[in-house]
Amino acid sequence: MADLQALKNAFIEIYGESSASISAFHAPGRVNLIGEHTDYNGGYVFPAALTFGTTMLIRPRQDRIIGFASTNLELRKQISIDDLSYREADDWINYPKGIVVHLAKEGSPVTKGYDLLFHGEIPNGAGLSSSASIEVVTAYGLLTLEGHPTDTVKIALLAQKTENQFVGVNCGIMDQFAVANGKKDHAILLMCDTLEYSHVPFKSGSYKLVIGNTNKRRGLVDSAYNERRSQCELAVTYLQQQYPGITLLGQLNLEQFNASKHLIPDETVRRRAQHVIEEIDRVLKSIEVLKANDLEAFGKLMIGSHDSLRDLYEVTGAELDAMVEAALKVPGVLGARMTGAGFGGCTVSLVHEDSVQTFIDQVGIEYTEKTGLTPSFYVCDIGNGVEQIGEAL
Ligand code: GLA
């Protein structure tokens, strides 16, 4: 967690003293444990909030200007509430700006200006949801200071809308939902079609979740993400011949899908759909085996997920595959897979606590040999979703 005193000093250095007090909020990053590329298909996901994320300090102003600054990104701006359109040159500021715009659209406009200082601990572009984290912390902080209710499911939906409509990234609901609704030591089982969810205790005993960042940047907008989405939509149109009522792949179970997949004429599209259906099934199996404390079985499901994302959905790429392959060679590793959208970004592995250092050393060496890139590792604990962490600083 960030050092609030140091952040307060930085805030005053940027914005100066004022009689109004400063409040602090935090939203985490997220790691998805299993259930990849299922959210926009109305399926299950199983993400968890990290203990690190984005801290935001906020102080009201007397005018209608919003100040945007960050401790780790150079660009700073002061923009009138009445002039908040998307501008490419505004870079990271488009995320909090988009939240202000969408709060107004949803009937909770900010009524005065604020100075904002963000402190981000999530590596950008690594697939750990740094953008969802900044969106959700902005919405939660502004709603709190404006005296509005802070319904974290509504905040997740607002943040997703901002990402889709203002930033222009066609993501599903998983990232914003996990960041807004995480709970310490729990993963979230979320049904993305209905948004029904439950917090499932993640008891990993002597095993640790280790995130490996390939340090190969992943660009969601430029990637094949949208193409995968369209292929899934196309699969639905074929399957509707047998199931006219369905609108999303996740509305079919494995048995129904296997009985109707011959209706999808295109082999690639069929493979994409097969991944989605089987991945949803893997999430449900994960919940069962975790309830029985069978971490080995969960590890196998993680491996199955990666294999499917590599062979059927084709979103892994050389770097993620090299890292997972190296991870699975280390004794004491139960499972490993890519996490997030793919095409770079991060892996997540379940590693015995006595093997963590060997894991980091061995995977680091083998990965660099294969790819020429230097990875980073984070041994992660599961933290809370968005929350207020300081008042009247
Ligand atoms: C990205 C998107 C999510 C989800 C994952 C893949 O993280 O933002 O909505 O689709 O990819 O599971």
Side-chain angles (χ1 to χ4, degrees):
M1 198 62 81
D3 173 350
L4 283 186
Q5 190 52 48
L7 278 183
K8 182 187 169 191
N9 295 342
F11 187 100
I12 289 170
E13 206 165 292
I14 296 166
Y15 294 116
E17 300 276 359
S18 131
S19 56
S21 62
I22 301 171
S23 307
F25 296 85
H26 180 263
R30 70 94 189 87
V31 58
N32 189 21
L33 302 180
I34 198 159
E36 217 65 82
H37 288 276
T38 52
D39 63 350
Y40 52 83
N41 287 299
Y44 284 99
V45 291
F46 194 49
L50 300 172
T51 46
F52 54 95
T54 311
T55 300
M56 179 182 81
L57 265 57
I58 173 169
R59 189 177 66 188
R61 298 172 54 123
Q62 303 288 355
D63 53 16
R64 287 180 64 77
I65 301 287
I66 304 198
F68 299 94
S70 160
T71 56
N72 46 300
L73 295 160
E74 262 174 38
L75 186 67
R76 288 183 190 163
K77 284 243 156 148
Q78 307 239 331
I79 310 177
S80 159
I81 298 174
D82 308 302
D83 183 30
L84 292 174
S85 55
Y86 182 90
R87 281 196 194 94
E88 181 100 42
D90 283 353
D91 194 48
W92 71 271
I93 290 170
N94 283 307
Y95 297 104
K97 203 163 58 166
I99 290 293
V100 179
V101 170
H102 277 267
L103 280 172
K105 281 195 179 170
E106 307 278 310
S108 309
V110 296
T111 54
K112 55 181 167 302
Y114 290 94
D115 283 327
L116 309 174
L117 176 64
F118 296 92
H119 174 71
E121 296 163 328
I122 311 169
N124 292 325
L128 298 177
S129 297
S130 56
S131 64
S133 173
I134 192 171
E135 288 156 3
V136 167
V137 80
T138 307
Y140 191 93
L142 285 171
L143 285 169
T144 305
L145 265 76
E146 288 278 332
H148 291 303
T150 48
D151 176 326
T152 46
V153 172
K154 285 195 183 144
I155 289 176
L157 285 165
L158 176 106
Q160 185 203 11
K161 233 185 218 176
T162 303
E163 186 92 34
N164 293 165
Q165 297 176 9
F166 193 85
V167 182
V169 175
N170 204 12
C171 64
I173 185 66
M174 170 170 73
D175 304 346
Q176 290 78 9
F177 198 94
V179 163
N181 296 288
K183 181 173 168 186
K184 189 173 160 40
D185 298 331
H186 290 69
I188 307 169
L189 174 65
L190 169 67
M191 177 3 100
C192 300
D193 193 2
T194 59
L195 294 190
E196 267 175 77
Y197 73 103
S198 58
H199 288 119
V200 180
F202 190 74
K203 290 186 243 139
S204 57
S206 43
Y207 285 83
K208 293 271 177 200
L209 288 170
V210 182
I211 293 176
N213 187 349
T214 60
N215 284 323
K216 157 132 169 55
R217 276 185 76 93
R218 145 212 78 85
L220 252 194
V221 196
D222 307 325
S223 71
Y225 188 87
N226 289 339
E227 190 198 10
R228 297 298 182 282
R229 282 193 76 139
S230 315
Q231 289 169 327
C232 292
E233 283 159 20
L234 184 59
V236 170
T237 62
Y238 292 121
L239 296 167
Q240 278 167 341
Q241 294 170 57
Q242 188 154 339
Y243 304 101
I246 66 162
T247 51
L248 294 162
L249 276 176
Q251 291 159 352
L252 294 184
N253 63 31
L254 190 53
E255 210 175 301
Q256 290 169 316
F257 176 73
N258 282 334
S260 57
K261 64 181 178 193
H262 61 276
L263 295 169
I264 306 173
D266 183 305
E267 197 264 335
T268 305
V269 174
R270 203 180 320 130
R271 274 190 294 130
R272 305 291 189 243
Q274 185 95 35
H275 162 76
V276 171
I277 300 283
E278 288 178 355
E279 182 76 355
I280 293 170
D281 196 57
R282 271 188 289 272
V283 179
L284 295 174
K285 291 211 170 89
S286 297
I287 305 302
E288 271 170 40
V289 297
L290 286 172
K291 265 192 197 144
N293 269 325
D294 189 349
L295 286 174
E296 268 180 46
F298 179 58
K300 289 203 178 100
L301 290 162
M302 292 172 80
I303 298 170
S305 168
H306 185 85
D307 289 349
S308 175
L309 288 156
R310 182 191 59 218
D311 301 334
L312 300 180
Y313 218 63
E314 295 178 287
V315 290
T316 56
E319 294 78 11
L320 286 165
D321 288 342
M323 189 174 271
V324 165
E325 225 172 87
L328 293 176
K329 285 186 197 157
V330 180
V333 172
L334 295 182
R337 58 181 292 276
M338 56 152 271
T339 182
F343 311 106
C346 288
T347 64
V348 58
S349 304
L350 196 54
V351 186
H352 193 277
E353 57 191 7
D354 297 341
S355 306
V356 168
Q357 196 49 52
T358 316
F359 178 93
I360 293 173
D361 297 342
Q362 210 172 302
V363 176
I365 291 169
E366 189 172 327
Y367 176 74
T368 304
E369 266 170 18
K370 279 207 180 142
T371 63
L373 295 170
T374 309
S376 339
F377 296 97
Y378 318 89
V379 181
C380 78
D381 292 316
I382 299 181
N384 280 328
V386 66
E387 58 192 344
Q388 179 155 14
I389 54 169
E391 216 174 331
L393 295 179

